[in-house]
Amino acid sequence: MSSTSRTIASFIAVPAWLALSFPLMFLAYFASAFIPRLLGNFLFFWPQYLFSFRYVVAPVAGGFEPLFSPAIAPVACAFYWLAVSLGYGMLARNWPALRSLLVGFAAVVAATAILHAGFAAFGYGVQLDGP
């Protein structure tokens, strides 16, 4: 495998896993009668944990205080995942393509866990929205 294809695979691994998270929400919604409830909840809410910077809130008296304004939230989300994608791509650029793609999933999970642990350290969490 050429060096170019390994590099391309390393830089598209994280965005590919992020893009694959959207169909999971629909899968959970339409297949809810056929899959365990816990798995369905995970599949449905996973994209919200990845992308819902708008709903990162801290409880205050009488409601919630958002961390990001509605205009800044998508920019912060895009910047975060762009930084993760570029960092992962630089780290994995010499790995075989299959390894880059498979470890990319672990990188997305780890980046999400680290992000939400950081939010929680400051008293913030995601206010989930679902059926």
Side-chain angles (χ1 to χ4, degrees):
M1 180 172 289
S2 73
S3 173
T4 303
S5 61
R6 285 191 307 232
T7 302
I8 291 170
S10 69
F11 281 98
I12 67 163
V14 170
W17 285 111
L18 293 174
L20 286 173
S21 70
F22 287 109
L24 294 178
M25 181 175 46
F26 296 108
L27 173 69
Y29 186 76
F30 292 113
S32 62
F34 308 107
I35 59 176
R37 183 179 177 103
L38 184 63
L39 177 61
N41 283 340
F42 172 77
L43 294 176
F44 186 83
F45 289 115
W46 179 245
Q48 289 187 38
Y49 276 108
L50 294 175
F51 301 111
S52 61
F53 281 44
R54 183 176 178 193
Y55 299 109
V56 174
V57 297
V60 294
F64 296 98
E65 177 185 334
L67 178 60
F68 301 102
S69 71
I72 298 297
V75 174
C77 180
F79 179 76
Y80 179 74
W81 286 114
L82 179 63
V84 170
S85 297
L86 291 175
Y88 180 77
M90 294 299 291
L91 176 73
R93 69 179 175 250
N94 293 322
W95 294 354
L98 183 60
R99 183 189 308 164
S100 291
L101 293 172
L102 294 177
V103 176
F105 176 73
V108 169
V109 172
T112 303
I114 290 167
L115 177 70
H116 288 285
F119 287 154
F122 293 101
Y124 287 89
V126 175
Q127 184 177 11
L128 299 174
D129 184 26

